[in-house]
Amino acid sequence: MKTDHFKMLHNIEELTHLFSTSRNLHEFLDGTVNIIRQHLTLTACGIYISNERTNCLSLEACFGLNYEELKKVSFAPGEGIIGEMLNATKPLSIKNGLADPSLAFIVPYLDHKHESFLLLPLRQGNNPIGVMILQRETGLPFKKTDILSLLVTTSQLSNVMTNVKMLMMLETSPIENNNKKAYIKPDSKFLKGKSASIGFAFGHSKSFEKERILSFFYNKKYTKTYSLEDFRTALNSTVKQLEKLQNKVKSKLADMASLIFTAHLLILKDKAFIDEIELLINRGINAPNAILDIGKIYLSMFALNENLIMREKQQDFEDLLTRIIHNLVYNKGPYDKFYKSIIITKELYPSDILKMSAKEVSGIVLLTGGITSHVAILAKSLQIPMVIVNKDDISNIPDDTPILVDADTGNVYINPSADIIKKFEKHKTITQIINDNQEFFEMPNRTLDGIKINLFSNINLVSDVHLAIKINSDGIGVYRTEFPFLIRSNFPTEEEQYFVYCKVVEGMQGKPITFRTLDIGGDKLLSYFDFKEKNPFLGLRSTRFTMEYKEIFEHQIRAILRAGVNSDLRIMFPMISSIEEFISAKEILNSCIKDLGIDGIAHNKDPQIGIMVEVPAIIDIIDDIAKEVDFFSIGTNDLIQFLIAVDRTNEKVAKFYNPLHPSVLRSLKKIVDSAIKNQIDVSICGDMAHEEKYLPFLLGIGLRSLSINPIYFPKIKKAILEIDCKKAEELANNLLLKSRLIDIEELINII
Ligand code: PEP
Ligand code: MG
């Protein structure tokens, strides 16, 4: 069963010849699949060709498949795995195809039930032509060499294929297509999305939309008249709900305990506000309108206020008004209906996700278009399974539809069968995995050749500390301190931050902790601060923001220094783009140390001070800045985005966001070399560090410290134990010689 690649390449000419001798197009395509079959020892092969006149892809030639049945099913571009592969740039290999839901449409029509599948986009230059699907015996997976020879063959064939496609389009009229069975739209079965956290959840769907938006109530016509008594009852329920919510959040998220709902409760204590509403109700205005009328006056007062802190109150106030009216009109809080359900939503703010978590929602399906990345990070911290899907596939799903969210793979099952649910119920949660494998986590992180690798944790919330300790991490590599800011509806004070940071320090039991100062802006926007920027990724963000709003910066640094007294404290500044910027930030830090000393407040006098290396401008001056700082932490998420000029949150350009780009690899090497030469610590804390496939390169260039979200510890720790650093170094050196992505990918064997 040896694959004959040489012969196959040789046969390309034969294929072209086949075209001229075939009596019709199908004869040519049949001939093509047969030649590929012989040389790749396939058990099935099918060619789907896209027809722009009918706007669908349909099966035009095959063997090992039931042509008659599959011919009836067509795919629109982007629909199902076939439609998705039409615009893919790389082949997709599926090892357990029979169980993979994306291939469910073909499995009943296979002659042989084998597991290995390969899907290959057929294209001429940038123009998609169709998709080829191939199947092989289980245990005979598609190897890199097979894929390469297929790529060569199909690229040579593309010219002929384009002609085939054009001729087919002339042959068919759009009407003909109407007789075909449409592809069974996945909204009744299965959706392929993008994983945004981990775990799985099964529950009934609830769409999360307009109720929370105050304008909904402005436009609502109230048929019932609500009395003063109704208003007071609603007010009482609101207070009780907020107190309950606060307690729930306290047990789940220590850092938010005293912070998040206090602002709402305080407003309710404002007698003037309540009196004014009651006055209007007594004058005969319906209670919901009275609340909105007075609410509007307060909102504009907040909005126009010179003081930033007062302006921040606006969102709290809106939230509160929504809650009171909800209680008045529906006799329940705005989040009550989400208890144990699967939320389907177009947008989600961090404060929403907290309230969802307090309501114990089971899972979230986020439709693309909303703010995503920090919400995904929060979902991970709160261990809420979340998947991001294309909104057109699911937006009209009725409430209470049974849904299973598999956040490990990004799959969403609508009306899943009992079998699928049963299968998932056997999956272990991350906590179970850790509990069942304590010995494994206690083992030192050493490579095959005995080199110690420091595995630090990335944390966002105090609740992450528990996991970081359980998995025995070496410390906190990055604490994204913006999260307490992001999930609130106003800037936390120094005291509030101090309270949160103390919890982190206590929780880490003396292990090193790296606090990253406020990294907002870009995709991490505060709901209560109007950045008003056309291009926020390149705007007033991170350290640029804190240097502009020095008071906010100083409050944070003082809180960190105070909480970090007697601890192994490291502080780093994000998005540093020049030496001057670092020095100015460090001066502020030093002046905070001095002031705390003068005031006689206990604090850490000598923290290590470092930077995130994530702006490309730093790379050419890396040796110069290495002399100023105590450590580097490489933020590949931003570094890649800026090096390749590709928005890390924009799905449309996701294919360009490739950590294996030669410039990324060479930049990483330069940074690590410089740290080693200047004898300062260097670690990597971007997402690249939690993907096993990049690990040999990272260790190969000399990185010995990684910082990852604790949920990825099991797989990364396992991968470290299997790596030989000598071999990794050889691989890294070879990779660094390559200047083309395709060569790098081939070498790293990820195709
Ligand atoms: C990074 O940019 O790689 C990083 C770790 O920071 P963030 O993802 O929070 O921007
Ligand atoms: Mg970053």
Side-chain angles (χ1 to χ4, degrees):
M1 294 244 277
K2 201 170 153 293
T3 315
D4 193 346
H5 299 105
F6 175 75
K7 259 202 184 145
M8 186 158 160
L9 291 176
H10 188 72
N11 274 339
I12 290 166
E13 277 179 22
E14 226 176 292
L15 283 167
T16 338
H17 172 72
L18 180 70
F19 182 63
S20 48
T21 54
S22 298
R23 278 168 301 158
N24 59 44
L25 301 174
H26 289 108
E27 218 174 88
F28 164 73
L29 288 175
D30 282 340
T32 307
V33 288
N34 269 318
I35 291 177
I36 293 175
R37 165 200 204 164
Q38 283 159 24
H39 294 287
L40 284 181
T41 54
L42 302 173
T43 47
C45 176
I47 294 183
Y48 282 84
I49 299 283
S50 111
N51 184 328
E52 275 123 48
R53 273 190 83 188
T54 58
N55 194 32
C56 71
L57 280 130
S58 50
L59 187 67
E60 300 301 342
C62 71
F63 71 87
L65 296 172
N66 184 332
Y67 177 77
E68 295 308 321
E69 284 302 317
L70 284 168
K71 178 74 186 163
K72 292 181 199 159
V73 179
S74 55
F75 297 82
E79 213 172 24
I81 190 88
I82 297 292
E84 273 172 27
M85 285 306 293
L86 181 67
N87 287 314
T89 48
K90 282 195 278 192
L92 173 74
S93 159
I94 300 179
K95 291 204 181 87
N96 302 314
L98 298 181
D100 195 302
S102 65
L103 293 179
F105 75 97
I106 209 170
V107 170
Y109 307 116
L110 290 166
D111 288 354
H112 306 280
K113 300 285 184 248
H114 295 311
E115 293 280 5
S116 305
F117 286 81
L118 182 78
L119 287 112
L120 191 78
L122 303 170
R123 45 199 313 137
Q124 182 179 30
N126 281 334
N127 295 324
I129 301 170
V131 175
M132 192 184 284
I133 180 161
L134 307 98
Q135 183 208 32
R136 255 196 183 163
E137 276 181 28
T138 312
L140 189 64
F142 289 93
K143 289 201 277 313
K144 203 174 54 188
T145 40
D146 301 326
I147 295 170
L148 283 175
S149 59
L150 264 170
L151 284 175
V152 175
T153 310
T154 51
S155 70
Q156 301 254 5
L157 262 178
S158 60
N159 197 13
V160 188
M161 287 281 193
T162 305
N163 290 336
V164 171
K165 188 177 133 159
M166 266 166 40
L167 291 168
M168 276 180 162
M169 276 160 60
L170 291 176
E171 273 181 5
T172 51
S173 73
I175 296 141
E176 190 183 316
N177 184 52
N178 289 346
N179 300 328
K180 278 184 196 155
K181 197 160 64 174
Y183 167 59
I184 316 134
K185 249 210 165 253
D187 51 37
S188 62
K189 288 265 178 273
F190 162 78
L191 290 177
K192 182 85 201 138
K194 214 174 107 187
S195 160
S197 67
I198 56 158
F200 85 96
F202 173 61
H204 289 83
S205 69
K206 286 277 183 293
S207 69
F208 173 63
E209 253 180 289
K210 50 186 182 280
E211 286 95 332
R212 75 194 181 102
I213 300 167
L214 202 56
S215 60
F216 170 74
F217 288 111
Y218 281 124
N219 300 325
K220 189 172 161 65
K221 299 266 172 292
Y222 300 95
T223 43
K224 188 182 154 188
T225 306
Y226 298 88
S227 65
L228 184 65
E229 208 183 318
D230 293 333
F231 169 65
R232 288 187 176 155
T233 313
L235 219 53
N236 266 339
S237 315
T238 304
V239 173
K240 280 196 195 116
Q241 262 164 21
L242 288 171
E243 283 170 353
K244 209 165 145 197
L245 206 54
Q246 192 154 312
N247 281 336
K248 269 252 170 84
V249 172
K250 186 168 23 183
S251 61
K252 225 170 181 172
L253 297 167
D255 41 1
M256 291 300 111
S258 67
L259 314 179
I260 194 147
F261 299 111
T262 46
H264 297 63
L265 284 164
L266 267 179
I267 299 170
L268 285 180
K269 286 193 188 349
D270 180 356
K271 206 165 165 331
F273 167 62
I274 306 294
D275 283 353
E276 281 174 65
I277 297 174
E278 294 200 351
L279 197 73
L280 286 193
I281 299 173
N282 282 332
R283 282 191 196 150
I285 298 192
N286 201 2
N289 294 328
I291 300 168
L292 289 171
D293 288 353
I294 300 299
K296 243 190 238 169
I297 300 172
Y298 273 71
L299 279 174
S300 57
M301 264 165 29
F302 286 128
L304 295 173
N305 203 293
E306 292 279 294
N307 184 336
L308 176 67
I309 309 286
M310 287 305 280
R311 284 209 305 274
E312 293 162 12
K313 295 273 172 255
Q314 208 180 317
Q315 211 214 337
D316 268 344
F317 200 75
E318 270 190 15
D319 251 29
L320 184 67
L321 290 178
T322 313
R323 187 176 285 279
I324 303 173
I325 303 181
H326 222 281
N327 278 319
L328 178 69
V329 178
Y330 301 122
N331 278 327
K332 60 179 179 189
Y335 290 83
D336 285 8
K337 70 170 188 173
F338 300 123
Y339 178 70
K340 299 267 185 221
S341 35
I342 305 282
I343 308 297
I344 315 271
T345 181
K346 286 201 184 88
E347 60 172 357
L348 203 61
Y349 286 97
S351 57
D352 294 324
I353 207 169
L354 267 190
K355 288 169 202 155
M356 301 279 182
S357 155
K359 276 280 154 236
E360 294 176 40
V361 304
S362 303
I364 298 175
V365 179
L366 183 60
L367 311 178
T368 42
I371 302 161
T372 53
S373 62
H374 53 270
V375 170
I377 291 173
L378 263 181
K380 279 180 201 153
S381 287
L382 293 166
Q383 294 184 26
I384 302 179
M386 180 162 111
V387 170
I388 301 172
V389 302
N390 191 316
K391 57 174 170 275
D392 300 332
D393 289 343
I394 195 172
S395 54
N396 293 327
I397 193 159
D399 271 5
D400 295 321
T401 307
I403 291 196
L404 193 147
V405 177
D406 175 7
D408 292 330
T409 59
N411 292 340
V412 175
Y413 301 80
I414 297 160
N415 289 316
S417 67
D419 278 357
I420 290 183
I421 300 170
K422 224 193 236 152
K423 196 181 112 200
F424 275 94
E425 280 167 355
K426 288 192 195 128
H427 285 201
K428 286 186 177 176
T429 63
I430 181 79
T431 321
Q432 285 164 335
I433 295 174
I434 292 165
N435 286 342
D436 295 352
N437 295 285
Q438 268 303 309
E439 275 175 23
F440 170 71
F441 291 104
E442 271 150 31
M443 272 166 66
N445 308 311
R446 287 196 186 278
T447 58
L448 263 187
D449 46 345
I451 295 181
K452 164 91 171 79
I453 306 296
N454 299 308
L455 254 189
F456 292 102
S457 291
N458 288 357
I459 69 154
N460 310 305
L461 296 173
V462 177
S463 53
D464 298 336
V465 171
H466 173 70
L467 211 53
I469 286 292
K470 258 199 122 131
I471 49 173
N472 196 23
S473 70
D474 290 303
I476 304 291
V478 55
Y479 170 23
R480 290 180 163 107
T481 60
E482 57 273 15
F483 275 84
F485 287 71
L486 279 168
I487 56 184
R488 288 168 51 93
S489 42
N490 54 11
F491 282 109
T493 62
E494 178 182 326
E495 288 312 312
E496 285 171 325
Q497 291 179 68
Y498 172 66
F499 171 81
V500 174
Y501 302 157
C502 280
K503 295 250 173 234
V504 174
V505 173
E506 278 161 28
M508 284 310 292
Q509 306 167 3
K511 291 187 173 184
I513 305 170
T514 314
F515 279 80
R516 180 174 77 181
T517 57
L518 195 57
D519 185 19
I520 47 167
D523 58 332
K524 293 180 226 152
L525 300 177
L526 303 177
S527 55
Y528 48 90
F529 183 86
D530 192 355
F531 285 85
K532 279 206 189 82
E533 289 180 316
K534 285 214 176 98
N535 200 345
F537 274 114
L538 304 181
L540 189 68
R541 52 175 299 200
S542 302
T543 303
R544 293 174 192 169
F545 175 91
T546 44
M547 290 305 290
E548 185 78 19
Y549 294 94
K550 290 208 176 71
E551 218 180 313
I552 294 174
F553 199 25
E554 283 162 1
H555 285 171
Q556 178 176 44
I557 290 177
R558 285 171 61 95
I560 297 173
L561 291 167
R562 287 170 55 199
V565 62
N566 301 327
S567 75
D568 185 347
L569 180 65
R570 297 158 194 210
I571 299 179
M572 68 177 169
F573 305 123
M575 296 291 299
I576 290 292
S577 59
S578 68
I579 298 180
E580 292 85 336
E581 208 174 10
F582 169 72
I583 289 174
S584 313
K586 190 175 160 179
E587 273 168 13
I588 292 190
L589 199 157
N590 283 335
S591 75
C592 288
I593 294 181
K594 200 168 145 212
D595 290 348
L596 285 168
I598 294 170
D599 296 343
I601 300 171
H603 65 284
N604 191 311
K605 296 182 186 62
D606 192 21
Q608 298 256 308
I609 307 172
I611 59 164
M612 290 280 295
V613 181
E614 53 186 345
V615 177
I618 285 296
I619 294 166
D620 262 357
I621 51 168
I622 198 75
D623 270 341
D624 308 271
I625 202 156
K627 295 187 176 63
E628 304 289 334
V629 305
D630 294 326
F631 64 90
F632 288 151
S633 177
I634 310 172
T636 43
N637 302 347
D638 276 305
L639 187 63
I640 296 168
Q641 138 163 295
F642 293 125
L643 271 174
I644 312 181
V646 49
D647 177 349
R648 71 193 229 188
T649 63
N650 183 346
E651 275 301 299
K652 286 188 198 142
V653 288
K655 65 175 185 234
F656 297 106
Y657 189 95
N658 194 334
L660 292 176
H661 190 294
S663 289
V664 174
L665 301 188
R666 291 177 198 184
S667 298
L668 292 176
K669 168 80 171 145
K670 270 193 191 170
I671 300 163
V672 175
D673 279 354
S674 171
I676 295 170
K677 189 170 101 192
N678 291 285
Q679 298 181 343
I680 61 168
D681 281 351
V682 57
S683 66
I684 173 169
C685 64
D687 291 355
M688 197 175 170
H690 73 230
E691 301 264 357
E692 297 107 308
K693 66 181 172 221
Y694 305 131
L695 212 53
F697 175 78
L698 297 176
L699 301 192
I701 56 170
L703 265 169
R704 295 294 177 260
S705 297
L706 314 171
S707 190
I708 57 176
N709 188 312
I711 62 174
Y712 299 115
F713 259 62
K715 67 169 188 177
I716 291 300
K717 178 154 182 152
K718 187 165 169 282
I720 288 174
L721 303 181
E722 287 165 5
I723 287 179
D724 178 318
C725 278
K726 266 261 144 322
K727 284 195 191 137
E729 192 180 332
E730 263 169 47
L731 172 77
N733 287 337
N734 280 336
L735 288 169
L736 287 163
L737 292 174
K738 308 278 176 208
S739 51
R740 284 168 195 254
L741 250 172
I742 184 151
D743 297 335
I744 293 174
E745 288 185 339
E746 188 196 332
L747 203 57
I748 218 161
N749 198 10
I750 62 157
I751 300 183

